[in-house]
Amino acid sequence: GAGVSQSPRYKVTKRGQDVALRCDPISGHVSLYWYRQALGQGPEFLTYFNYEAQQDKSGLPNDRFSAERPEGSISTLTIQRTEQRDSAMYRCASMGGYNEQFFGPGTRLTVL
Amino acid sequence: AQKVTQAQTEISVVEKEDVTLDCVYETRDTTYYLFWYKQPPSGELVFLIRRNSFDEQNEISGRYSWNFQKSTSSFNFTITASQVVDSAVYFCALRGNSGGSNYKLTFGKGTLLTVNP
């Protein structure tokens, strides 16, 4: 596709459930990033990949959060045993050759 | 450590007024990149501009202009003759070029701009 796509756009889940958020980057973009944006705040870095290799996961809040990009294209961010504090907008971005990160529409996660 | 400060939380103007959004950054990197993104009410993040630290030339794109002042660590954004469609949250962001900062964006908290008809 022409831009970064994310699915689902909205996810409502109950506390304790696992969720998987998907990101499909711009075709040919090597680098893929995950950010989390709380209401009224700017996005905060979670993790990023070059091709299939996870280069940095220092922004992941705890070990309930994990991400993968097994074939160097689509990425999945998984949150296990969700908690209410996990509620936020989760944004994916991909970067081409000019240091510009292009963001997808985001997944709004609500944990009840 | 990287830091971006957008001191203006909210700005309200009347259509056709000019408005400037302030951004001040902190970094120890000698080379870095600065960005502005727009987040309209629909929620997506739209890339507006990238500026390299070694290029201090100001840029104009239609009604938008950006003033990069390395001496004051500022990268301000001006909208001339504002329109209702400019209403959005605007984020300034910084990406360093060394060590742990050479890939991720550090965002400010954003400025909510409301343009009233």
Side-chain angles (χ1 to χ4, degrees):
Chain A
V4 180
S5 60
Q6 292 185 246
S7 61
R9 294 290 307 276
Y10 302 91
K11 178 69 177 178
V12 180
T13 190
K14 292 183 178 179
R15 185 164 49 97
Q17 297 293 307
D18 298 350
V19 295
L21 312 180
R22 172 185 164 126
C23 172
D24 196 345
I26 293 171
S27 179
H29 278 191
V30 168
S31 301
L32 183 148
Y33 304 78
W34 284 99
Y35 292 82
R36 180 168 71 173
Q37 185 177 9
L39 208 58
Q41 302 292 318
E44 292 186 346
F45 171 81
L46 295 176
T47 185
Y48 100 105
F49 295 82
N50 276 342
Y51 299 101
E52 72 282 358
Q54 190 172 21
Q55 299 294 324
D56 184 352
K57 56 182 181 179
S58 63
L60 296 177
N62 50 61
D63 59 9
R64 295 185 297 105
F65 288 73
S66 63
E68 63 175 9
R69 193 185 184 198
E71 297 179 359
S73 180
I74 293 169
S75 177
T76 303
L77 177 70
T78 302
I79 309 173
Q80 296 179 312
R81 306 180 302 281
T82 52
E83 301 178 4
Q84 287 186 330
R85 59 178 172 156
D86 299 334
S87 296
M89 175 74 85
Y90 288 82
R91 297 193 182 273
C92 172
S94 69
M95 187 174 80
Y98 292 95
N99 297 305
E100 295 156 5
Q101 293 184 22
F102 295 96
F103 284 82
T107 295
R108 171 72 67 189
L109 175 66
T110 302
V111 182
L112 302 177
Chain B
Q2 317 276 318
K3 185 178 180 182
V4 175
T5 302
Q6 294 180 256
Q8 304 149 310
T9 305
E10 294 186 35
I11 300 176
S12 183
V13 299
V14 177
E15 208 169 17
K16 296 185 184 177
E17 284 186 31
D18 298 348
V19 58
T20 295
L21 309 181
D22 297 333
C23 173
V24 174
Y25 61 92
E26 296 176 29
T27 181
R28 293 179 181 174
D29 292 340
T30 53
T31 304
Y32 48 89
Y33 304 89
L34 295 162
F35 303 81
W36 277 95
Y37 285 85
K38 174 181 179 179
Q39 184 178 332
S42 53
E44 69 268 31
L45 264 179
V46 180
F47 167 82
L48 295 178
I49 189 172
R50 170 182 58 91
R51 171 62 71 212
N52 304 332
S53 57
F54 47 84
D55 179 4
E56 290 195 64
Q57 196 168 15
N58 292 326
E59 183 157 341
I60 298 174
S61 176
R63 297 184 296 108
Y64 295 172
S65 62
W66 291 269
N67 185 325
F68 177 32
Q69 295 281 343
K70 206 167 181 178
S71 59
T72 56
S73 298
S74 65
F75 186 44
N76 297 337
F77 174 27
T78 297
I79 301 175
T80 303
S82 60
Q83 299 176 1
V84 172
V85 294
D86 296 327
S87 297
V89 179
Y90 290 87
F91 290 99
C92 181
L94 166 70
R95 178 190 157 188
N97 203 39
S98 66
S101 63
N102 68 347
Y103 43 81
K104 58 187 175 184
L105 294 176
T106 299
F107 284 84
K109 291 189 176 181
T111 297
L112 172 62
L113 173 64
T114 302
V115 181
N116 298 298

